[in-house]
């Protein structure tokens, strides 16, 4: 058995047996190095220099932190109440609230996990209160709407993609806006259809005199995306720095404007964010270690040669990428795909003249859909846990949404203009 | 509660304090960087180094000493569907694998970390063997934690 | 014959499309009879700045090391990364081919176990600015936020040019220039073209402040284990790669000047003597020049 085979077997075996993924990848890398007679400390070298050397990755902990502060500081609650004003009176209105809330939240948070885990509980409870909606439907909707988070900027997966593809983060962020809105519209369509079919109720009317207060309360939270994007494109900060500004803004609004943040809550937001950071960071660390195995074995070149041998046209290549990523998305975690699989695809995409920003959006949307695709949809597990609904019922309700999102994915894959129109308005030359 | 247990809990909370401090340091360094560049037009250059170091330490320190087993990201489709006995077998196998692999590589890891004394960080001038020593903390913690997991799986005490 | 083939893994930061990648593929072909040269580009095997330790620890056989990398462990080497040391690529090549080069290569061998095959030129760094301010002397650079790569020596270089050096990640540089987060950047002209910086800036000031090169290096343990014939073959292949890469870079830089002018950008040389005097004054006043061999600047300048 070659060291590479041994290492792959260790990776599969140990992860199936429940060892945490990041740690599994580090162990598999050390096994490879040991079996190949190489210096085993290369695993440590890759993790340490990799974490120390990738400045743009710092957006990950900072966006997690800002989401934590928004939840602790009740920015999320206030947004939810405001959305209820906008669409609560339509049939399936609370479902629309769930969607619109995610679109707005998407403009502030970089992470789908943060959206689902942070605001998901409130959304599910609101929808399921008094048996208005089945808990499993509420959970499914929360999961699929959370997917929009990293498609509309800012976005942690896009930051990771920019790192491996050396693409401009600023243009990737702009490119995500229209696809994100497209997916949200598709979800609203499905939600309306479901609401009529299952005769879902309409939300209670909000008294008119409450409208100004609720709007005013939500205003500072609504301003956040404006401030972030204005700051990035106005020359105040880089996209990575925007993550820190988002956290600072959430903190200031919660502490000074809403006066809803105690010292204890602040500390627990810090602790929770730091813990999530360590958990996600381990996954990145594992990918950095295992990346050495992949590179040392010249796997990227082999895959590139294989793909080149198939002589795919640009469209066929994109279709194959969609298939590969959707299958892998069911099996692997998003950051792992971005850090390990995508670097293999990038050279072929470049050779075929695929625009790197367009490719980035296709890749990120694929990976996000993977978060709600059974059997390994991380978001499905999270919402099932939050709602108490059985996972099978949640999965059943996500299926129509999944179909709509796949249709949207195909549209943006084959019509790059949908993705590239906005960045080009801002000077992108691709 | 025994003294050992209390001591362990106390140490774990201090480890958590340090982890939180690292996140705050990263956050403050970023804000300083923006303010000194945009408002004062006098960019600082050590802030980027400080925040990446806080991130590096935060990940490995947190994973070693703060995260609980249930917080870690794992592929539990198969594992989650297993019965109690089968899970104990898995825990024993994975636990022993981690102990063996980290134990086997520890001398090499130690050699690398101490070798790094030849370089210093660009701005703060801290020796890299000191900065990278957090890997040894991580490796030893993995050995100890997974030895405990394997032990519990073998003797059958619930975690 | 049972002579086993040697594996030479080479790690570098530049990409597949780079002129240097072509040159190294030539190196690979020239040695194909005796060696398996594996090219790991794009910093996929070892990250930028970590290649030196990888060679020292025997984890890779060959690498493209920057003079800044060497100066982190041998402070005297920092002079080789200092601004306005070399007049142009030819001057740099002559210095490395002469006694000064031999002296510095010996330090690398004795202290780092690194055998240097030669300097791989990849362009001369110039300042590229967003504001239209005419630049003649370092005083005109005052207050400009000039993006310089992260690292102390780079930031010092930015100050030596009279600017406010600002570290920004390379991947974010285009957006930072476009939005005005920074006022300018410095890179060789072909790099500025590849990254399309000309779209978001108005002028190239041909400061020629740094003749950019890396050191094509091989682990001295690997080198010492080669037969004399093999050493000669490796050195000849390296010389050829360096020659070809230098020639093509120089031609490309000429083309770039014409291209940027055709795009409506100002391309002009400032008072280079004023920049050189100011930079050398700052270097000699700084702590890093304490470790430089006595009189090194004059000795280098005397090479014709
Ligand atoms: Na939602
Ligand atoms: Na987002």
């Amino acid at each position: 058995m070659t060291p590479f085979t041994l290492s792959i077997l260790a990776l599969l075996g140990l992860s199936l047996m429940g060892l945490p993924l990041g740690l599994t990848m580090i162990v598999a890398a050390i096994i490879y190095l040991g079996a190949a007679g190489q210096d085993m400390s290369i695993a440590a070298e890759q993790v340490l220099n990799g974490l120390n050397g990738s400045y743009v990755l710092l957006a990950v902990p900072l966006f997690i932190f800002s989401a934590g502060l928004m939840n602790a500081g009740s920015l999320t609650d206030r947004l939810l109440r405001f959305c209820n004003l906008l669409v609560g009176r339509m049939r399936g209105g609370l479902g629309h609230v769930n969607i619109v809330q995610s679109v707005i939240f998407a403009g502030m948070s970089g992470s789908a996990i943060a959206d689902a885990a942070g605001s998901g509980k409130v959304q599910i409870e609101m929808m399921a209160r008094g048996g208005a909606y089945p808990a499993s439907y509420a959970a499914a909707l929360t999961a699929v709407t959370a997917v929009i988070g990293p498609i509309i900027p800012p976005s942690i997966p896009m930051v990771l993609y920019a790192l491996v593809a050396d693409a401009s983060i600023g243009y990737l962020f702009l490119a995500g806006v229209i696809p994100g809105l497209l997916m949200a519209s598709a979800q609203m369509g499905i939600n309306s259809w479901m609401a009529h079919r299952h005769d879902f109720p309409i939300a209670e009317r909000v008294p008119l005199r409450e409208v100004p207060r609720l709007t005013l309360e939500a205003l500072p939270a609504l301003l956040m995306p404006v401030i972030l994007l204005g700051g990035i494109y106005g020359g105040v900060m880089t996209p990575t720095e925007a993550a820190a500004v988002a956290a600072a803004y959430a903190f200031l609004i919660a502490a000074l404007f809403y006066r809803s943040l105690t010292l204890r809550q602040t500390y627990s937001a810090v602790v929770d964010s730091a813990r999530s950071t360590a958990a996600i960071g381990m996954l990145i660390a594992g990918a950095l270690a295992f990346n050495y195995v992949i590179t040392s074995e010249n796997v990227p070149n082999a895959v590139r040669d294989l793909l080149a041998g198939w002589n795919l046209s640009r469209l066929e290549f994109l279709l194959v990428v969609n298939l590969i990523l959707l299958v892998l998305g069911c099996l692997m975690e998003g950051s792992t795909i971005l850090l390990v699989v995508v670097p293999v695809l990038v050279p072929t995409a470049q050779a075929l003249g695929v625009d790197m920003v367009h490719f980035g959006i296709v890749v990120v949307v694929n990976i996000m859909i993977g978060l709600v695709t059974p059997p390994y949809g991380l978001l499905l597990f999270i919402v099932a846990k939050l709602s108490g609904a059985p996972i099978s019922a949640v999965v059943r309700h996500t299926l129509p949404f999944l179909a709509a999102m796949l249709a949207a994915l195909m549209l943006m894959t084959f019509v790059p203009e949908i993705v590239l129109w906005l960045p080009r308005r801002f000077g992108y030359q691709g | 509660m025994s003294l050992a247990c209390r001591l362990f809990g106390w140490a774990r909370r201090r480890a958590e304090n340090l982890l939180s401090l690292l996140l705050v340091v990263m956050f403050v360094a970023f804000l300083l960087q923006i303010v000194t560049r945009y408002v004062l037009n006098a960019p600082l250059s050590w802030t980027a180094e400080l925040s990446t170091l806080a991130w590096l330490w935060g990940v490995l320190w947190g994973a070693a000493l703060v995260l609980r087993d249930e917080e870690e990201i794992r592929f539990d489709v198969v594992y989650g569907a297993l019965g109690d006995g089968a899970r104990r077998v898995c825990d024993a196998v994975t636990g022993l694998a981690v102990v063996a692999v980290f134990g086997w590589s520890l001398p090499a890891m130690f050699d690398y970390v101490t070798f790094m004394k030849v370089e210093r960080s660009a701005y703060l001038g801290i020796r890299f063997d000191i900065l990278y020593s957090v890997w040894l903390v991580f490796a030893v913690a993995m050995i100890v934690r997974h030895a405990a997991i394997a032990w519990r799986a073998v003797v059958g005490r619930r975690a | 014959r049972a002579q086993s083939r040697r594996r030479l893994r080479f790690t570098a930061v530049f990409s597949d499309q780079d002129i240097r990648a072509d040159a190294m593929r030539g190196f690979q072909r020239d040695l194909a009879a005796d060696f398996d040269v594996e090219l790991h580009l794009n910093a996929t095997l070892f990250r930028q700045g970590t290649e030196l330790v990888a060679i020292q620890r025997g984890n890779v056989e060959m690498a493209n090391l920057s003079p800044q990398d060497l100066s982190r462990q041998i402070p005297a080497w920092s002079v080789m990364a200092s601004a306005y040391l070399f007049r142009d690529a030819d001057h740099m090549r002559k210095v490395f081919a002469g006694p000064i080069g031999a002296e510095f290569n010996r330090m690398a061998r004795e202290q780092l176990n690194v055998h240097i095959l030669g300097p791989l030129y990849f362009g001369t760094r110039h300042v590229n600015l967003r504001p239209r301010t005419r630049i003649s002397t370092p005083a005109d650079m005052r207050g400009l936020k000039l993006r310089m790569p992260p690292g102390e020596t780079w930031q010092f270089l930015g100050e030596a040019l009279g600017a406010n050096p600002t570290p920004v990640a390379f991947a974010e540089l285009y957006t930072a220039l476009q939005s005005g987060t920074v006022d300018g950047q410095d890179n060789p002209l072909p790099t500025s073209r590849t990254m399309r910086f000309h779209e978001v800036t108005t002028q190239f000031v041909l400061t020629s402040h740094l003749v950019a090169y890396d050191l094509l290096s091989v682990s001295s343990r690997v080198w010492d284990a080669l037969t004399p014939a093999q050493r000669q073959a490796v050195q000849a292949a390296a010389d050829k790669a360096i020659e070809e890469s230098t020639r093509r870079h120089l031609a490309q830089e000429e083309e770039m000047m014409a291209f940027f002018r055709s795009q409506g950008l100002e391309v002009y040389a400032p008072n280079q003597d004023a920049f050189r005097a100011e930079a050398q004054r700052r270097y000699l006043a700084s702590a890093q020049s304490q470790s430089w061999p006595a009189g090194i600047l004059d000795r280098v300048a005397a090479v014709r």
Side-chain angles (χ1 to χ4, degrees):
Chain A
M1 199 184 311
T2 66
F4 185 57
T5 329
L6 189 66
S7 161
I8 295 286
L9 286 179
L11 184 70
L12 293 176
L14 294 175
S15 62
L16 284 177
M17 282 193 281
L19 193 64
L21 277 169
L23 186 59
T24 306
M25 285 193 274
I26 293 174
V27 167
I30 298 175
I31 290 178
Y32 169 82
L33 292 164
Q38 293 193 42
D39 178 0
M40 281 187 281
S41 73
I42 291 176
E45 187 269 349
Q46 295 279 319
V47 171
L48 291 164
N49 287 324
L51 290 177
N52 191 37
S54 35
Y55 179 73
V56 282
L57 279 180
L58 296 180
V60 175
L62 292 169
F63 277 133
I64 292 175
F65 186 37
S66 72
L69 285 174
M70 284 177 64
N71 292 329
S74 78
L75 269 75
T76 315
D77 291 347
R78 284 166 216 258
L79 269 183
L80 212 51
R81 269 179 251 149
F82 175 75
C83 296
N84 197 21
L85 276 186
L86 292 182
V87 286
R89 295 288 298 158
M90 295 155 77
R91 185 157 299 278
L94 275 175
H96 291 315
V97 169
N98 195 332
I99 297 167
V100 171
Q101 179 274 340
S102 280
V103 169
I104 297 174
F105 196 96
M108 310 174 208
S109 118
S111 146
I113 308 293
D115 183 10
S119 59
K121 194 153 184 68
V122 191
Q123 292 179 47
I124 294 169
E125 274 167 10
M126 261 178 73
M127 284 179 71
R129 196 178 294 147
Y133 294 77
S136 53
Y137 182 78
L141 194 60
T142 301
V144 297
T145 54
V147 161
I148 299 170
I151 297 171
I152 294 179
S155 160
I156 293 172
M158 284 186 204
V159 171
L160 295 179
Y161 172 82
L163 191 77
V164 300
D166 197 20
S168 153
I169 299 178
Y171 287 133
L172 278 167
F173 278 9
L174 278 173
V177 173
I178 292 175
L181 296 177
L182 183 70
M183 307 233 331
S185 323
Q187 288 171 351
M188 290 185 111
I190 301 286
N191 180 54
S192 295
W193 177 49
M194 287 292 156
H196 283 101
R197 221 179 110 197
H198 297 293
D199 207 20
F200 290 149
I202 294 171
E204 281 169 42
R205 182 183 296 281
V206 178
L208 209 60
R209 59 188 158 75
E210 292 281 276
V211 173
R213 187 181 62 84
L214 289 176
T215 312
L216 199 68
E217 276 190 0
L219 208 59
L222 287 169
L223 270 177
M224 187 139 124
V226 179
I227 289 172
L228 290 189
L229 290 176
I232 292 172
Y233 294 101
V236 182
M237 59 214 182
T238 67
T240 312
E241 291 166 350
V245 172
Y249 184 75
F251 178 74
L252 285 179
I253 293 303
L256 301 179
F257 192 82
Y258 294 149
R259 297 175 184 280
S260 56
L261 205 55
T262 63
L263 204 60
R264 179 178 293 275
Q265 281 172 319
T266 310
Y267 182 70
S268 84
V270 173
V271 171
D272 290 347
S273 313
R275 299 178 89 108
S276 311
T277 297
I280 294 178
M282 267 312 281
L283 213 57
I284 295 171
L288 287 165
F290 201 72
N291 180 56
Y292 180 84
V293 178
I294 304 268
T295 315
S296 178
E297 287 289 314
N298 289 308
V299 173
N301 291 337
V303 172
R304 189 170 46 188
D305 294 347
L306 182 74
L307 283 175
W310 288 350
N311 265 322
L312 298 173
S313 71
R314 192 193 303 205
L315 286 186
E316 285 165 343
F317 169 76
L318 286 172
L319 202 60
V320 168
V321 168
N322 277 336
L323 279 174
I324 294 177
L325 292 182
L326 282 175
V327 171
L328 289 178
C330 304
L331 301 169
M332 290 169 77
E333 201 279 335
S335 327
T336 318
I337 301 181
L338 275 165
L339 294 170
V340 178
V341 180
V342 173
V344 169
L345 303 170
V346 163
T348 313
Q350 275 170 335
L352 286 170
V354 177
D355 182 90
M356 279 297 105
V357 168
H358 177 227
F359 191 62
I361 299 301
V362 169
V363 163
V364 170
V365 172
N366 252 304
I367 289 171
M368 288 307 115
I369 293 179
L371 285 174
V372 291
T373 318
Y376 187 63
L378 202 53
L379 285 178
L380 295 176
F381 294 118
I382 291 177
V383 296
K385 203 181 202 175
L386 289 176
S387 67
I391 186 95
S392 56
V394 177
V395 167
R396 200 176 63 242
H397 277 120
T398 51
L399 292 179
F401 290 101
L402 209 52
M405 292 194 296
L406 286 176
L409 171 63
M410 286 304 128
L411 195 64
M412 59 188 91
T413 301
F414 296 119
V415 190
E417 286 70 26
I418 296 177
V419 175
L420 295 176
W421 182 82
L422 193 60
R424 281 178 183 151
R425 294 282 83 70
F426 282 83
Y428 180 61
Q429 300 291 315
Chain B
M1 215 196 307
S2 74
L3 183 67
C5 262
R6 287 216 310 270
L7 216 60
F8 182 73
W10 180 88
R12 196 156 198 163
R13 281 192 301 278
R14 297 296 81 78
E16 191 185 75
N17 293 151
L18 179 65
L19 175 64
S20 310
L21 182 69
L22 288 168
L23 181 67
V24 171
V25 164
M26 183 196 300
F27 174 61
V28 172
F30 258 85
L31 294 182
L32 267 178
Q33 181 171 313
I34 301 166
V35 169
T36 56
R37 186 188 59 232
Y38 188 73
V39 182
L40 307 178
N41 196 17
L44 293 177
S45 35
W46 51 266
T47 45
E49 182 174 302
L50 185 63
S51 40
T52 45
L53 289 175
W55 151 249
L56 165 71
W57 268 73
V59 170
L60 292 172
W61 180 266
L65 303 173
V66 181
L67 282 192
R68 286 171 215 288
D69 292 339
E70 66 270 16
E71 284 175 301
E72 284 174 303
I73 301 173
R74 60 186 91 225
F75 183 87
D76 56 1
V77 171
V78 175
Y79 181 79
L82 294 176
D84 206 40
R87 274 196 205 184
R88 273 176 55 192
V89 173
C90 286
D91 288 350
V93 171
T94 56
L96 289 174
V98 172
V99 172
V101 168
F102 273 88
W104 180 34
S105 63
L106 199 57
M109 302 297 184
F110 183 81
D111 186 60
Y112 170 70
V113 170
T114 47
F115 184 91
M116 286 307 287
K117 68 175 181 292
V118 296
E119 300 215 340
R120 284 169 183 273
S121 73
Y123 298 107
L124 303 172
I126 308 172
R127 282 202 339 239
F128 265 104
D129 56 341
I130 296 168
L131 295 177
Y132 283 0
S133 63
V134 67
W135 179 272
L136 299 177
V137 174
F138 171 74
V140 171
M142 286 301 115
I143 293 174
V144 172
R145 283 178 68 161
H146 286 269
I149 288 173
W151 174 254
R152 280 196 303 256
V154 172
V155 302
R157 219 184 70 211
R158 294 295 305 152
Chain C
R1 228 172 48 157
Q3 173 92 31
S4 71
R5 295 167 58 76
R6 271 188 175 275
R7 184 180 183 208
L8 288 182
R9 287 170 298 175
F10 170 76
T11 176
V13 178
F14 54 72
S15 79
D16 256 342
Q17 284 81 35
D18 197 285
I19 289 174
R20 289 167 286 175
D22 275 345
M24 288 310 291
R25 280 188 282 267
F27 179 87
Q28 188 180 35
R29 276 192 306 275
D30 289 350
L31 296 177
D34 272 345
F35 297 90
D36 283 322
V37 179
E38 277 180 28
L39 303 180
H40 293 282
L41 309 181
N42 281 315
T44 45
L45 200 60
F46 292 97
R47 263 170 195 275
Q48 180 162 26
T50 69
E51 304 97 330
L52 174 57
V53 168
I55 285 201
Q56 288 177 289
R57 291 182 57 79
N59 292 333
V60 71
E61 290 76 32
M62 285 186 70
N64 206 30
L65 302 174
S66 73
Q68 285 85 359
D69 291 338
L70 297 177
S71 70
R72 277 205 307 274
Q73 290 190 42
I74 308 180
W77 255 92
S78 67
V79 69
M80 288 303 184
S82 65
Y84 290 108
L85 180 69
F86 301 119
R87 290 184 296 274
D88 52 30
D90 191 50
H91 182 212
M92 185 267 291
R93 191 185 56 77
K94 282 184 181 141
V95 169
F96 270 97
I100 299 175
E103 187 184 318
F104 277 82
N105 290 355
R106 195 164 53 241
M107 284 186 229
R109 250 196 100 90
E110 283 167 3
Q111 298 177 44
L112 308 178
N113 285 318
V114 165
H115 178 90
I116 293 171
L117 294 169
L120 189 57
Y121 173 77
F122 62 93
T124 299
R125 293 178 87 103
H126 302 294
V127 166
N128 172 210
L129 295 177
R130 191 177 119 99
R132 292 182 182 278
T133 341
R134 188 85 184 176
I135 304 295
S136 167
T137 67
D140 301 328
M141 298 278 288
R142 184 165 303 141
L144 290 179
K145 278 175 285 204
L146 184 67
R147 181 269 176 185
M148 298 296 289
E152 193 180 24
T153 45
W154 287 113
Q155 300 297 306
F156 183 86
L157 204 166
E159 282 172 30
L161 291 169
N164 286 3
T166 308
V168 168
F170 194 58
E172 291 187 331
L173 184 48
Y174 183 99
T175 326
L177 281 168
Q178 183 181 37
S179 62
T181 311
V182 293
D183 299 312
Q185 58 97 20
D186 86 308
N187 262 300
L189 298 179
T191 311
S192 299
R193 168 72 181 85
T194 313
M195 297 303 289
R196 297 165 178 273
F197 294 144
H198 59 278
E199 296 166 359
V200 286
T201 54
T202 64
Q203 55 169 330
F204 283 89
V205 187
L206 302 177
T207 44
S208 298
H209 54 274
L210 197 73
V211 172
Y213 64 96
D214 285 322
L215 299 147
L216 198 54
S217 307
V218 59
S219 148
S220 60
R221 265 164 296 194
V222 172
W223 179 259
D224 293 345
L226 299 180
T227 67
Q230 283 177 325
R231 283 185 211 165
Q232 206 170 14
V234 171
Q235 186 65 58
D239 289 344
K240 197 173 135 196
I242 287 170
E243 179 85 19
E244 183 202 325
S245 168
T246 306
R247 184 178 49 74
R248 284 184 58 194
H249 272 107
L250 290 172
Q252 200 185 34
E253 288 178 281
E254 283 299 315
E255 280 168 38
M256 287 307 128
M257 280 187 222
F259 170 78
F260 291 140
R261 287 201 176 99
S262 77
Q263 297 294 302
L265 280 89
E266 291 275 347
V267 184
Y268 61 94
N271 180 347
Q272 283 187 9
D273 291 336
F275 271 96
R276 171 175 293 108
E278 171 67 5
Q280 295 195 338
R281 184 187 69 75
R282 286 200 188 229
Y283 275 111
L284 291 175
S286 81
Q288 59 171 304
S289 68
Q290 302 296 306
S291 56
W292 293 358
I296 183 73
L297 294 185
D298 295 333
R299 281 172 64 206
V300 170
V303 175
R304 294 279 153 188

